[in-house]
């Protein structure tokens, strides 16, 4: 420019060389805000320094128009400072000068202000020169917007497929977009990564950058996330903004099927509901069909095969097949898996002998209980709810009537708690009648007029016939008869009528024999005080006298008795109550059965009762 100016001066004045040679020299430097945000203000200072004193200095500011020619925007000299009219800067600039230079201030910086500003200083004889200042304008773009493709991206496609697009708008200068996969930048790579960038500029000069990522997906990309990053210049720095992450739905063929039993847990038994599930590792999940040996296309919903109430016939090998509809490679689209189902069972228990079995007394019997099962079983025998034997064979030896009864066997499968069965056998022991306590002498002592119960318990099979004979007793009858298969209980009640001892016999017979038991009943005679009858038939005076005499006599005897025993007998009658040791079945009635202690004592107690005014005779109720 200096040289240009010189030529001009040479042409006009012809003193260019002279001017330069005589030291006509000015240094122009420009400083200021070289980088500003759009909308902000920028200040540019044009500093000049003359080698020799200049009588006058002109400063002019220029910009270049779109055609490339210069347009002045302001002029100033020692007398004036003026902004040129009708330029694009008329409204937005101001100039202020001082001794060493001039400042140009631009407000509301626009994109078009990104250009060179020229400051031309002319000191006439002192020399002229110009400075140049490049103003840079910045406008940060909008944060990037990413969009992943909505449809699945197949790994089988040969070339990179569109995976996502990223867009950033209204940036200046042009921002860049970088793609990342799992935080690692993606670069263009033949056959793997394609980046298609579209840059556009709107009417205001702001840039919009769109980038499309084309990527050859693999199975692993189902878990990958992608984002784009926009980088842009700001005054004095480079900034970056990341988009949010997106993932893509990757479609890949099934290579493997998983097959498992969902229900039940553990071993399968008959009656269970079995659920078998299949899952192919392809995406989207492949359609699955179930089959079993000859049966194909079993009815399964949602990849679950449900077998209700299974039996051992459902045991077998089940298959799963996947059919990838999407799969473009024809070679590997059928994948298969299989599963072995074993349905365990336990058949009903079979007991030998069946139902019931008759044994003779003293005989041996071996009973067995078996249940067919696919697994190991445990057998336990019970009698009357009590465990008597572990194992499936029960040996009954030397049968007695106690051997008879109901035997149950329980068969369980230890490995499947829910699986069990049971059977039973009824054992009957045949034998001649056998009376309880037949050997024991049964002595019953009771007062005349009282009732006494005699109990006869018999075991025997066939059920014995029980008869009683009591030749010397007339008023007896049976009050209880209990009969079971091999047991008879008979209780007879009889009135003690005579003062003599009687004998009753219980006789039990069946076809195998007979047994008898003898009861001896001893009666206790009643002692009636003679005075009582006399008093009834006499006159009042005589009665009074006799009663008085009697009272004295009784008093005497009582006193004598007390003196002799040292105490009065306790209780109403002085009887000692005991439980009949011979009869376990009959319930002892308080007053009825007594054991004679001493003859005189009984008499005395009876006498005493009468005196005490107990008019109730000791008889039956
Ligand atoms: C102008 O600048 C040159 C080189 O930077 C320097 O040699 C010269 O002295 C300067 N002149 C004035 C008047 O400052
Ligand atoms: C320049 O001007 C100043 C005053 O304006 C004066 O003091 C100085 O001597 C002058 N210098 C030259 C070289 O003329
Ligand atoms: C002023 O602005 C108009 C329209 O924006 C443009 O055509 C013209 O070139 C500009 N002039 C300069 C000097 O920049
Ligand atoms: C011009 O700008 C400089 C630096 O910003 C400042 O020091 C100076 O005072 C300014 N001059 C005027 C006349 O505004
Ligand atoms: C954008 O990319 C270009 C070319 O690689 C580079 O020169 C420029 O500095 C980048 N811009 C930013 C803001 O990173
Ligand atoms: C993206 O990932 C989320 C969480 O990991 C998941 O729920 C979603 O289905 C995925 N989207 C696609 C298209 O794969
Ligand atoms: C019953 O078995 C026992 C023991 O094995 C044996 O001693 C006895 O002779 C057997 N009785 C009969 C009747 O077989
Ligand atoms: C005899 O047995 C019958 C029936 O069990 C009972 O009602 C009665 O009280 C008993 N009599 C005696 C004296 O134990
Ligand atoms: C028992 O009764 C049976 C049949 O009624 C009879 O044959 C037998 O003689 C009786 N035995 C006695 C001891 O009474």
């Amino acid at each position: 420019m200096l040289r240009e100016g010189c030529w001009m001066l040479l042409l006009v004045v012809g003193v260019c060389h002279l001017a330069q040679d005589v030291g006509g020299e000015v240094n122009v430097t420009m400083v200021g805000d070289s980088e500003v945000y759009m909308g902000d203000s920028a200040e540019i200072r044009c500093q000049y320094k003359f080698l020799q004193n200049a009588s006058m200095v002109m400063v002019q500011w220029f910009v270049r128009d779109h055609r490339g020619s210069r347009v002045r925007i302001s002029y100033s000299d020692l007398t004036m400072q003026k902004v040129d009219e009708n330029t694009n800067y008329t409204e937005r600039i101001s100039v202020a000068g001082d001794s060493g230079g001039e400042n140009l201030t631009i407000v509301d910086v626009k994109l078009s202000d990104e250009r060179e500003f020229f400051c031309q200083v002319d000191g006439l004889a002192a020399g002229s020169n110009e400075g140049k200042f490049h103003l840079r304008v910045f406008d940060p773009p909008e944060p990037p917007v990413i969009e992943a493709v909505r449809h699945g991206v197949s790994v089988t496609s040969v070339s990179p497929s569109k995976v996502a697009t990223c867009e950033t708008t209204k940036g200046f200068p042009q921002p860049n977009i970088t793609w990342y996969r799992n935080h690692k930048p993606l670069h263009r790579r033949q056959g793997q990564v394609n980046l298609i960038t579209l840059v556009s500029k709107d009417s205001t000069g702001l840039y919009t950058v769109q980038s499309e990522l084309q990527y050859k997906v693999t199975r692993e990309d189902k878990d990958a996330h992608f984002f784009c990053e926009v980088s842009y210049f700001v005054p004095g720095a480079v900034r970056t903004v990341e988009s949010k992450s997106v993932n893509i739905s990757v479609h890949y063929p099934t290579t493997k099927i998983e097959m498992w039993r969902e229900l039940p847990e553990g071993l399968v038994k008959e009656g269970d509901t079995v659920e078998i599930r299949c899952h192919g590792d392809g995406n989207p999940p492949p359609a699955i069909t179930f089959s079993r040996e000859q049966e194909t296309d079993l009815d399964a919903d949602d990849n679950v095969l449900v077998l209700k109430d299974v039996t051992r016939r459902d045991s077998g090998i089940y298959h799963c097949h996947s059919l990838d509809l999407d799969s473009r490679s024809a070679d590997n689209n059928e994948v298969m898996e299989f599963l072995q189902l074993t349905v365990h069972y336990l058949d009903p228990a079979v007991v030998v002998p069946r139902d019931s079995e008759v044994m003779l007394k003293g005989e041996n019997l071996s009973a067995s209980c078996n249940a067919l099962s696919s697994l190991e079983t445990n057998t336990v025998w019970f009698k009357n709810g009590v465990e008597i034997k572990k194992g499936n064979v029960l040996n009954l030896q030397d049968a007695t009537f106690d051997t008879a009864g109901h035997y149950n066997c329980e068969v369980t499968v230890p490995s499947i708690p829910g699986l069990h069965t049971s059977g039973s056998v009824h054992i009957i022991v045949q034998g001649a009648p056998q009376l309880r306590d037949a050997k024991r002498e049964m002595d019953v002592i009771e007062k005349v007029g009282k009732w006494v119960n005699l109990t006869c318990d018999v075991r025997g099979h066939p059920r014995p016939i029980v008869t009683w004979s009591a030749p010397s007793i007339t008023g007896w009858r049976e009050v209880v008869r209990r009969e079971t298969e091999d047991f008879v209980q008979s209780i007879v009640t009889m009135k003690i009528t005579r003062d003599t001892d009687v004998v009753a016999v219980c006789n039990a017979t069946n076809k195998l024999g007979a047994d008898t038991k003898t009861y001896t009943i001893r009666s206790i005679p009643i002692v009636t005080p003679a005075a009582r009858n006399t008093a009834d038939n006499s006159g009042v005076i005589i009665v009074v006298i006799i009663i008085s005499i009697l009272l004295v006599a009784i008093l005497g005897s009582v006193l004598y008795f007390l003196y002799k025993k040292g105490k009065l007998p306790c209780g109403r009658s002085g009887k000692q109550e005991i439980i009949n040791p011979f009869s376990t079945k009959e319930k002892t009635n308080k007053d009825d059965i007594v054991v004679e202690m001493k003859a005189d004592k009984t008499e005395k107690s009876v006498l005493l009762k009468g005196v005490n005014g107990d008019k109730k005779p000791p008889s039956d109720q």
Side-chain angles (χ1 to χ4, degrees):
M1 199 47 61
L2 180 65
R3 199 165 293 270
E4 231 173 88
C6 272
W7 283 117
M8 260 168 69
L9 282 170
L10 184 69
L11 285 172
V12 174
V13 193
V15 290
C16 186
H17 269 286
L18 177 74
Q20 275 202 311
D21 285 346
V22 297
E25 193 182 319
V26 55
N27 280 359
V28 177
T29 52
M30 292 183 84
V31 293
D33 308 312
S34 64
E35 304 193 329
V36 290
Y37 281 110
M38 192 169 90
D40 283 1
S41 316
E43 194 178 57
I44 307 165
R45 179 170 172 76
C46 177
Q47 280 175 321
Y48 47 85
K49 201 164 186 183
F50 287 91
L51 205 62
Q52 54 191 203
N53 274 357
S55 51
M56 88 127 199
V57 178
M58 277 189 314
V59 178
Q60 298 176 94
W61 290 86
F62 295 89
V63 295
R64 248 193 255 277
D65 74 4
H66 59 283
R67 285 188 305 270
S69 46
R70 287 188 179 203
V71 176
R72 199 180 75 181
I73 55 170
S74 88
Y75 167 86
S76 56
D77 57 24
L78 291 175
T79 59
M80 62 178 301
Q81 289 179 333
K82 115 175 197 299
V83 172
D84 283 305
E85 302 291 326
N86 301 321
T87 73
N88 287 355
Y89 287 97
T90 307
E91 305 297 326
R92 292 197 291 121
I93 56 168
S94 56
V95 286
D98 51 34
S99 58
E102 192 170 284
N103 294 354
L104 173 74
T105 303
I106 311 162
V107 297
D108 190 19
V109 169
K110 298 191 181 322
L111 284 189
S112 53
D113 299 340
E114 165 125 353
R115 60 169 77 193
E116 281 174 335
F117 287 82
F118 303 94
C119 173
Q120 211 173 78
V121 179
D122 193 347
L124 297 179
S128 67
N129 207 344
E130 76 169 20
K132 188 167 71 171
F133 190 84
H134 194 101
L135 184 67
R136 306 188 78 94
V137 181
F138 298 85
D139 187 24
E142 296 292 319
V145 174
I146 191 169
E147 201 168 340
V149 293
R150 289 182 200 280
H151 57 83
V153 183
S154 178
V155 300
T156 52
S157 87
V158 216
S159 53
S161 328
K162 178 178 171 183
V163 159
T165 57
C166 180
E167 185 186 68
T168 181
T169 57
K170 292 187 171 54
F172 193 89
Q174 183 195 323
N176 287 348
I177 287 177
T178 314
W179 284 94
Y180 289 83
R181 176 188 177 274
N182 293 345
H183 294 285
K184 287 210 185 78
L186 287 169
H187 301 292
R188 224 173 281 272
R189 238 174 89 211
Q190 185 60 40
Q192 295 294 317
V193 183
N194 279 351
L195 301 170
I196 296 169
T197 307
L198 199 72
V199 181
S200 58
K201 202 173 179 181
D202 66 9
S203 57
T204 62
L206 293 171
Y207 288 98
T208 288
V209 182
Q210 287 166 306
S211 179
E212 179 180 307
L213 171 65
Q214 296 183 344
Y215 183 73
K216 185 145 170 43
V217 294
T218 64
R219 234 184 142 89
E220 287 68 45
D221 290 313
K222 70 184 163 65
D223 302 317
H225 56 268
F226 297 87
F227 66 87
C228 63
E229 179 195 74
V230 54
S231 57
Y232 54 94
F233 291 108
V234 293
V238 174
R239 295 237 172 102
T240 57
V241 175
E242 284 176 13
S243 72
K244 61 182 176 57
S245 283
V246 293
N247 49 359
I248 52 169
S249 132
V250 178
H251 285 186
Y252 40 88
T254 301
T255 57
K256 192 172 84 197
I257 294 186
E258 264 187 283
M259 189 174 188
W260 70 97
R261 195 177 77 227
E262 246 176 11
L263 276 178
E265 275 179 35
L267 297 170
V268 181
K269 61 178 187 299
E270 288 192 328
D272 282 349
T273 294
V274 174
E275 283 186 24
I276 298 171
R277 188 181 279 277
C278 279
H279 182 262
D281 65 350
N283 189 45
I288 302 252
T289 55
F290 286 85
S291 66
R292 179 201 165 194
E293 280 126 45
Q294 278 73 42
E295 298 170 75
T296 55
D297 224 350
L298 295 169
D299 197 20
D301 250 0
D302 209 15
N303 295 348
V304 183
L305 177 68
V306 179
L307 304 168
K308 287 206 170 95
D309 195 13
V310 290
T311 66
R312 64 199 78 174
R313 285 184 301 282
D314 292 312
S315 295
I317 294 169
Y318 289 78
H319 288 270
C320 262
H321 312 259
S322 86
L323 205 64
D324 260 316
L325 303 170
D326 182 51
S327 179
R328 261 168 253 182
S329 47
D331 45 17
N332 69 331
N333 54 359
E334 166 107 355
V335 185
M336 203 171 78
E337 183 58 289
F338 68 90
L339 179 143
Q340 164 90 48
L341 177 69
T342 307
V343 179
H344 293 289
Y345 56 89
L346 176 65
D347 280 346
V350 174
V351 180
V352 177
R354 295 179 57 152
D355 304 331
S356 65
E357 180 74 6
V358 175
M359 294 174 76
L360 289 176
K361 268 177 84 173
E363 257 188 350
N364 292 347
L365 177 78
S366 175
S368 70
C369 175
N370 290 297
L372 200 64
S373 175
S374 52
L375 291 164
E376 207 170 298
T377 57
N378 257 3
T379 307
V380 179
W381 284 94
F382 293 88
K383 187 183 183 191
N384 301 330
V386 179
E387 184 184 316
I388 51 164
K389 172 83 201 294
K390 280 188 181 17
N392 69 320
V393 175
L394 175 70
N395 285 313
L396 299 173
Q397 287 181 350
D398 192 16
T400 66
F401 286 129
D402 288 333
T403 309
H406 219 73
Y407 291 82
N408 288 309
C409 69
E410 289 277 346
V411 183
T412 54
V413 178
S415 45
I416 307 183
L419 213 50
H420 61 87
T421 182
S422 62
S424 69
V425 61
H426 189 69
I427 299 292
I428 298 158
V429 177
Q430 277 196 342
Q434 197 178 323
L435 281 143
R436 187 203 291 268
D437 298 333
K439 304 280 172 307
R440 230 154 79 208
E441 284 273 305
M442 291 303 283
D443 281 7
V444 184
I445 300 159
E446 188 48 273
K447 283 170 272 182
V448 170
K450 286 266 183 180
W451 291 84
V452 65
N453 275 0
L454 303 177
T455 302
C456 184
D457 290 345
V458 194
R459 296 194 79 172
H461 196 279
R463 187 166 62 219
I465 296 157
V466 175
T467 54
W468 289 86
S469 62
S472 48
I473 302 173
T474 47
W476 68 271
R477 61 194 162 87
E478 191 173 50
V479 286
V480 172
R481 178 170 282 258
R482 291 193 188 95
E483 291 183 339
T484 67
E485 190 179 60
D486 63 352
F487 172 77
V488 179
Q489 180 182 56
S490 172
I491 301 175
V492 291
T493 190
M494 53 182 65
K495 192 169 187 176
I496 311 298
T497 49
R498 276 201 262 145
D499 288 358
T500 53
D501 296 350
V502 291
V503 168
V505 177
C506 174
N507 180 2
T509 61
N510 68 7
K511 66 176 182 192
L512 298 172
D515 198 7
T516 57
K517 180 171 173 175
T518 305
Y519 302 77
T520 308
I521 303 128
R522 271 189 264 276
S523 55
I524 306 161
I526 298 172
V527 179
T528 312
R532 228 166 142 179
N533 289 334
T534 324
D536 288 343
N537 306 325
S538 303
V540 176
I541 298 159
I542 298 163
V543 168
V544 170
I545 291 162
I546 289 167
I547 286 169
S548 305
I549 293 161
L550 265 171
L551 280 173
V552 171
I554 289 159
L555 203 66
S557 60
V558 167
L559 287 172
Y560 171 74
F561 181 79
L562 284 173
Y563 171 74
K564 239 194 148 181
K565 276 307 205 179
K567 62 175 169 87
L568 271 161
C570 306
R572 234 167 53 154
S573 62
K575 278 182 272 174
Q576 294 283 316
E577 297 171 14
I578 65 146
I579 308 295
N580 183 357
F582 306 109
S583 171
T584 49
K585 281 275 189 251
E586 63 195 272
K587 187 155 166 59
T588 314
N589 191 307
K590 267 182 155 232
D591 289 333
D592 291 333
I593 299 162
V594 297
V595 173
E596 190 180 24
M597 303 190 83
K598 254 182 188 174
D600 57 339
K601 217 184 254 177
T602 315
E603 275 169 54
K604 283 200 175 92
S605 60
V606 169
L607 192 62
L608 192 68
K609 261 185 189 170
V611 172
N612 287 344
D614 191 351
K615 286 185 183 73
K616 208 168 131 203
S619 64
D620 58 312
Q621 311 65 358

